[in-house]
Structure formats: C-alpha cells, structure tokens
Amino acid sequence: MTHPFLDLAPLGADRFAAIEDRVARLLSTEQDVVIMQGEALLPLEGAIRATAGPGTTALNVITGPYGQTFGDWLRDCGATVIDLAVPFHTAVTAEQIREAFAAHPEIDFVSLVHAEAATGNTNPVAEIGEVVRAHGALFYLDAVASIGAEPVLPDAWGVDLCVIGAQKAMGGPAGVSAVSVSERAWARMAANPRAPRRSYLSLLDWKERWIDGGRKALLHAPAQLEMLALEACVERIEAAGLETVMARHASAAAATRAGALALGGGLEPYVYEARDAAPVATTLRVPAGVVASELVARALAADPALPLAAGGGALAKEMIRVNHYGADATPGAVRASLTALGVALSAQGLSVDMESALRAAESAK
C-alpha cells in the first residue's frame, strides 16, 4: 500500500532552517528561533527546565490552567515559586507585577501565559514586559494560543523565551512548535548545571549542535509532515497578511461576545471586560440550573464539527467555550455556534432571541 505522504523526499537542513527563518519573521524577532519536534508542551517544559533551578526565584502568573502547570514544573526544578493568581474572568495587570517585585525583589524569573484559550482571557504583555525589563528578570511567555490572533513581539516586549504552537490561531499542525530565545536566556541555560543535556527536552543541544554549527546538520530526523504543514501554514499567513489574519480573529471574538449577550437565555461572558477577552476563544457562563457540558452536548448533537466545548475540569459545569480560531475565525462559524447554543437553551425551556443575536453578531466591531 502506498500514499503520497509516504513517498516524500527527506527534509534537509536547509529547508528546516528556512522554515525557522519564516517563523522568526512572523515573530518580528532577531532572537534565535528553534523549531522543536513536538507539541508546544515540549518547548514550554524544556525552556523552564533549562533556565530554572534551586537558585531561581520565580513569579508565576496564574490566569488559567497552564499557569498552574508552569508552577509545578518550576517547583520540580527546585525554584522558589511565588504564585500570582488572578480570577480566571479577568487579566493580570502590570501594576500587580510591579507590586510583586516590590514585595519580593529577589524575583529573577517571570512566567506568563499570553492568551488562555481555556479560560478566554488575554494578558497585556507589552505593559507587563516594560515592568519585567525594568526589574531585570528573565521573561518566559506562552504565546501558543495568541500567535496569529493578536500581536506577539518578543523583541519589542523584552521576552526572553517565547513559545508558540501552530495548532490554534495559525491554523496549522499540533505536532511541531517553536521557541525564540534571547542571548540572556542562552546564558542562563549555559550557567544552569541542571539544564537538560542529551535529551529531547534540551534547548542547549539545539544551540550547540544546530545553531552554533551553522544550521548544517539536524539533531535527528525531523517530523517531516508536520514541518511541511508548518511551512504551508506560515505561507498562508504571509499571503493573507498577518494583520488581516489577526483582524479576522478579533472580528470573530467581537461577534461572538455581542451575539451571546443579545441571545439571552441567561448566557453571560465569562471574562467580564471585553479588553481582557482573548481573540482566540470566547468563554460564556451558563445560567443557574444549567450544566455547561450538557448544554454543549445538546448543541453539538446536530453538528459535531462546531467549535464548541465545555470548560475543563470543574469549569465543565459553568463554562462554555466558543473556539473561533484558525479556520473557525469566520462569521459563518460564529453564526452556527450561536444558533446551536440558542436551540440548546430553548430546549431547556429558556427564552432566547435568535434574530437579535445574529443581528448583533453581524454588526459587531
């Protein structure tokens, strides 16, 4: 049995390096960019384990589930961790970061998620970056969900480790990811005796054997299909224009929020303020007496392909997530999602105004 995907010529180092260069341009960065051969959890964990250790004091910002995971990794590395947790319906502020530095001047590492697709919030990284840069801490950013949906500018924002994945707003594959690394971050890794070496988690292996070697020989056979898919994904963004792609996500978010408010039935935006809402996903709080996971199941019964999901864990009872990213950042996906939610709410005896919801979504800016 044969298939076109099984008969591809090997992906060489030159092609791999060219894809890295295109990802760097997408980030507007002069930093080294390393494409890693796995889902974004690979560089997310690898970057923390490379730069954190027993001498690290980390400010770990928690605005959703990934912030909690980063704190676990940091503690496992032996770092002293100061958690700054804010309610999931809001965003952290630069002033809160500044206050944490004043209370703990020993902080030398900050971990933050840009956009939390799981909770629907996004954090003001540009403002936070100014505060972190003034303090002198190393700045680690999870931009997996935000890249392609809103600006991600590691150089301008003073981000030392910026991790991205292609599977959300970029509309690409999940099996490959990337991280931009500043010179300060490389120096921190080189000085860390606990940084992974000769390991799939190791960024230093890529630095020493790939980057310092002039990007002539890959560490191992690349995930060829994923790399080609990433290349195609970046080509598509370049052809449309990054500003256009981001505008499409912002429009989908505004339409979903406005439509949900007009729909009624007791639905409310989970993230209180529109300025704190992520352009990749809109989260909604269900009315009392309604279980979110059951409502979503009812909405998906007619069309399982709709970009609807219940919140994870305990949030499954109260939160609905409309994932309007990538191919679903369109007016059609928003209309279909609102219609399905309206039908599901009506089936539970709740009063909705479908016409007003669709009209509000269409006119939202």
Side-chain angles (χ1 to χ4, degrees):
M1 181 178 180
T2 187
H3 190 283
F5 288 165
L6 301 178
D7 299 318
L8 295 171
L11 188 76
D14 288 349
R15 184 80 169 273
F16 193 105
I19 298 170
E20 280 187 339
D21 290 341
R22 295 175 84 163
V23 172
R25 288 195 294 272
L26 186 67
L27 292 168
S28 299
T29 184
E30 297 297 322
Q31 297 178 6
D32 290 325
V33 169
V34 179
I35 296 178
M36 299 194 76
Q37 304 297 280
E39 198 270 337
L41 283 174
L42 174 63
L44 285 169
E45 182 175 358
I48 281 180
R49 295 196 181 278
T51 51
T56 303
T57 300
L59 176 64
N60 180 51
V61 182
I62 301 175
T63 58
Y66 281 100
Q68 295 169 329
T69 298
F70 300 160
D72 292 339
W73 287 339
L74 287 161
R75 291 182 177 88
D76 191 53
C77 290
T80 299
V81 181
I82 299 157
D83 285 325
L84 172 55
V86 302
F88 290 175
H89 60 253
T90 186
V92 71
T93 66
E95 184 57 33
Q96 287 173 302
I97 303 294
R98 188 178 290 109
E99 290 170 358
F101 287 153
H104 301 278
E106 69 276 18
I107 291 170
D108 62 356
F109 184 101
V110 175
S111 53
L112 175 70
V113 177
H114 188 184
E116 286 269 13
T119 49
N121 54 31
T122 192
N123 293 301
V125 182
E127 299 168 20
I128 291 168
E130 290 184 13
V131 177
V132 175
R133 185 163 39 206
H135 185 76
L138 202 76
F139 194 7
Y140 162 101
L141 184 70
D142 171 353
V144 173
S146 53
I147 182 66
E150 54 188 308
V152 177
L153 301 168
D155 292 12
W157 297 344
V159 177
D160 295 288
L161 294 156
C162 183
V163 177
I164 66 168
Q167 70 268 32
K168 288 191 166 61
M170 289 178 69
V176 66
S177 49
V179 53
S180 67
V181 187
S182 73
E183 289 300 323
R184 288 202 319 153
W186 285 131
R188 178 81 72 101
M189 293 180 208
N192 180 10
R194 295 192 175 198
R197 299 283 189 127
R198 295 168 296 281
S199 164
Y200 207 60
L201 283 171
S202 178
L203 284 168
L204 280 174
D205 286 356
W206 283 94
K207 165 71 169 166
E208 294 170 358
R209 296 169 56 192
W210 171 246
I211 295 172
D212 292 348
R215 299 194 298 177
K216 301 296 185 185
L218 290 160
L219 275 64
H220 45 71
Q224 180 154 314
L225 291 178
E226 286 78 4
M227 288 297 295
L228 294 175
L230 174 62
E231 182 181 48
C233 166
V234 175
E235 284 178 354
R236 186 170 57 193
I237 293 173
E238 290 171 346
L242 180 57
E243 292 294 331
T244 298
V245 176
M246 291 191 295
R248 185 161 52 81
H249 284 83
S251 177
T256 305
R257 188 179 183 92
L261 283 167
L263 181 63
L267 282 185
E268 297 178 351
Y270 191 88
V271 177
Y272 292 173
E273 302 292 337
R275 67 172 181 271
D276 297 333
V280 288
T282 296
T283 47
L284 304 169
R285 191 184 302 274
V286 298
V290 174
V291 177
S293 58
E294 295 175 359
L295 188 70
V296 167
R298 189 173 290 111
L300 291 175
D303 185 358
L306 289 174
L308 297 172
L315 295 175
K317 293 183 178 181
E318 64 184 49
M319 178 193 286
I320 293 171
R321 196 169 75 236
V322 184
N323 295 316
H324 39 68
Y325 54 70
D328 290 317
T330 65
V334 171
R335 286 194 300 269
S337 297
L338 290 170
T339 299
L341 288 173
V343 170
L345 287 165
S346 294
Q348 291 202 223
L350 296 166
S351 178
V352 299
D353 187 342
M354 195 76 71
E355 184 177 337
S356 292
L358 297 178
R359 188 166 55 246
E362 185 176 353
S363 61
K365 301 295 183 182

